Each structure stands twice: as structure tokens, then as C-alpha cells.
Amino acid sequence: MVAEVVPKTEQTQAKRRHLTRSQRRTVTFYTMVSPWLIGFILLGVFPLIVGVLTSFTNYDGLNFDSYKWVGFGNYTRGIFDDPDVIFSLKRTVVWGMLNLPLWLIISFSLAMILNQNVKGRGLFRTVFYLPSLIPITAAVTAWRIILERNFGMLNYLISQIAGEPVAIGWLSDYAMPGMTMIAVWGGLGAGMVIFLAGLQGIPTALLEAAHIDGANTWQSFRHVTLPLMTPVIFFQLILGLIGAFQQLNLPLVLTRVGITTASVPPRPIYLYMIHTYQQIFVSGRFGYGTALLWLLFVGVLLLTGIVFWTQKYWVYYDSPGGDS
């Protein structure tokens, strides 16, 4: 007697019938997320592992003949033996302390102004948001015309006010304030939109109750608006803090002298990421540069953790499970 051969499709359907409802849901879920999961592993996890391993080697990006394992040598060199690491880190801290408070205060103030119920506020919101959409190369090109030492519009304006010619090097000696102006101008739109979303989430009943109790505009802002906006301020602070330590494009483009040739940024804006860029793409020290990136990651992680720890003292969460 010849055994009947069951087609594969029928076997598959029989197996599916034996799966429980929970198992079928699990199979469906992983089938649907598998494209993203494969991409995440190939483009996220795998490069991360390679980056960690590279930081323990002397890899130069090209030759494998002299490739060797150096252990924590790159890390100890970055911490103890490279003075430019400490210098660039200090300049990055100065950059963050100068740029971040200005950006937070000005964008929050703009959001407060544009949150008023006045005619044409939609137009002004659009105008203030437009700089965030301009590519960094175009923005820097325009700002270089304004900040140029000898023929810049800003120095010309200062000369008219002072009554004598001035030639302030906004792109050299005073490159830090010059770069701060560009960064704050370009980031106001994004910060303003997030602050606007937070302001529009504040219940008007609370502001009306404060007004009925006799609170003036400042008192309403101090005791109602500001406490309820602290979660948004905290969110913006974390994003701005991380972004400050990752700043690379702005000083790099600001000091570009040609289409394919870029000079080293002046020392006032020689930030940590600039030094890392120089080590990897100019000097060919891929292993050492990757180690510098991991040192930055650990440092920013610790700093962010400290900021998260402080939130219990100044961030107000209007929820049963939140801190107040």
C-alpha cells in the first residue's frame, strides 16, 4: 500500500492550525517587524560592535597589514597624553554654556510672545521658523557676509555707532560669539515650536484663577506658567546639551576655504568633535578617533544622568506618579 503524499501547503496549514492564538500573534508580529529588525541589526547593532572593537586597535582606515590590538591604549592616550583633547573639551563646555542658555531663553521668550492672541501671529511663527529649514551651508555663507572682518555688515554697523572703523574677527579671534549667533539664529525655530506646544497645553482655567486671585502678569508667569513648563524646559535642556557636545558641522563649514578644501577651525572654536574629525579623517587614526567618540559618549551619558538627577528639585510633573 502506497502512503499518500501530503502537499507542503497542506502540511503548513495543518501546522498553523495546531498553533495557539498567542503563538500565531507572535509569528505575525515578528514577520511584520522583521524588515525593520534586520535593518536595525545591520545598520545599528553591527556598526556599534565594530566601532567598539575598532577603538581597541590601531586601525588607520586602509591597511590591515599593520593592524593590531592595542587594548585601552587609545583611551589612556586620549585621557592623559593628548593635550588637545582637554583643550577641545574645555572649548566645547564654553560653547555649551554660551549657546544653550541663550537658545533656551530667546526661544522661550519668542514662544511666549507668539502665544498671544494677536492678529497675524501665524505669519510671525512661520517667519521665525524659516531659519530652521535653511541648509547649514547656505546659512553659513550668508552669515559670513555679515561677520566678515573688513567688509562685514556687522562691523560696518558697529563702526557707524562707534564713529571709528572697527575690524572685529568674528570668524577668527571672536569665532565663539560669531558661531553662537549663527547657532542661536538657526535653532530658534525648532525650540520655539516645542515651547509653543507646551504653552498651549497649559489649562487656561489656571491662569484665569490666578488672575481672579489678584496675580499680575509676572506672578502668573512665575507661579503658573513656568512650573508647568519645566518638563518642556527639561526636555529642551537635554536635547541642547547633547547637541552642544556633538557640534561638528557648524565650525567645519564656517572655516571652509574652498569647495573641497577645509582648514582647521581657529582655536576658539576647536571643539571636541573637530578634534575627533581631525584624528579620523585627516590623520587617519580611526582607532584612536573612535576611542575619543566613546569617551565622549560616556561623558555625555554621565552629564545627562546628573541633569536627570536634578529634575526632582525643579521639574514639576502634574501627574500622580510624577515628582513635584
Side-chain angles (χ1 to χ4, degrees), residues 23-314:
Q23 289 174 336
R24 288 197 300 270
R25 289 170 60 91
T26 301
V27 171
T28 303
F29 170 77
Y30 282 108
T31 302
M32 297 297 291
V33 303
S34 58
W36 175 88
L37 190 61
I38 294 173
F40 174 72
I41 293 174
L42 294 180
L43 302 178
V45 177
F46 179 71
L48 190 67
I49 296 174
V50 173
V52 173
L53 296 177
T54 303
S55 67
F56 293 101
T57 67
N58 67 339
Y59 181 53
D60 61 359
L62 294 174
N63 301 316
F64 286 95
D65 297 337
S66 58
Y67 183 85
K68 65 178 181 179
W69 186 267
V70 297
F72 287 94
N74 289 328
Y75 291 91
T76 56
R77 176 185 175 185
I79 297 174
F80 301 108
D81 300 330
D82 190 349
D84 281 337
V85 170
I86 302 300
F87 176 82
S88 61
L89 185 60
K90 289 180 180 178
R91 298 312 302 171
T92 305
V93 172
V94 172
W95 157 254
M97 293 176 64
L98 185 62
N99 173 70
L100 188 54
L102 284 175
W103 173 68
L104 286 173
I105 293 173
I106 298 177
S107 58
F108 188 32
S109 301
L110 276 178
M112 289 288 297
I113 295 172
L114 297 178
N115 193 45
Q116 306 299 317
N117 189 16
V118 294
K119 187 177 181 180
R121 62 178 181 176
L123 174 63
F124 285 101
R125 290 176 181 177
T126 303
V127 170
F128 282 112
Y129 185 74
L130 282 178
S132 301
L133 305 178
I134 299 177
I136 184 172
T137 305
V140 169
T141 301
W143 273 94
R144 287 184 66 140
I145 299 174
I146 299 174
L147 301 178
E148 205 275 331
R149 178 192 290 270
N150 297 316
F151 305 102
M153 297 171 59
L154 182 58
N155 281 344
Y156 175 78
L157 180 62
I158 296 175
S159 299
Q160 296 299 311
I161 297 174
E164 59 182 12
V166 297
I168 302 175
W170 296 109
L171 302 178
S172 55
D173 300 332
Y174 295 92
M176 184 68 76
M179 191 173 71
T180 300
M181 283 189 279
I182 302 174
V184 172
W185 172 82
L188 282 181
M192 179 195 68
V193 167
I194 296 177
F195 278 127
L196 269 174
L199 289 171
Q200 293 174 1
I202 296 177
T204 56
L206 294 178
L207 297 174
E208 292 173 354
H211 180 70
I212 293 173
D213 289 340
N216 56 30
T217 303
W218 166 251
Q219 290 171 336
S220 297
F221 171 78
R222 170 65 181 84
H223 298 288
V224 179
T225 303
L226 190 59
L228 293 178
M229 285 295 293
T230 49
V232 182
I233 296 174
F234 175 73
F235 172 76
Q236 297 274 63
L237 177 62
I238 293 296
L239 291 184
L241 187 66
I242 297 174
F245 280 91
Q246 292 180 339
Q247 183 60 255
L248 171 65
N249 293 333
L250 185 55
L252 205 61
V253 176
L254 192 63
T255 56
R256 186 173 294 276
V257 297
I259 298 178
T260 58
T261 304
S263 60
V264 179
R267 299 298 280 179
I269 56 173
Y270 192 79
L271 306 183
Y272 188 92
M273 285 299 296
I274 292 294
H275 182 61
T276 304
Y277 176 89
Q278 292 291 320
Q279 296 301 314
I280 295 177
F281 297 104
V282 177
S283 301
R285 303 188 183 103
F286 277 70
Y288 178 57
T290 307
L292 293 180
L293 290 176
W294 282 110
L295 288 175
L296 177 65
F297 170 77
V298 173
V300 172
L301 186 64
L302 292 175
L303 187 59
T304 305
I306 294 174
V307 177
F308 265 94
W309 176 77
T310 64
Q311 69 173 324
K312 61 183 179 182
Y313 297 106
W314 63 279

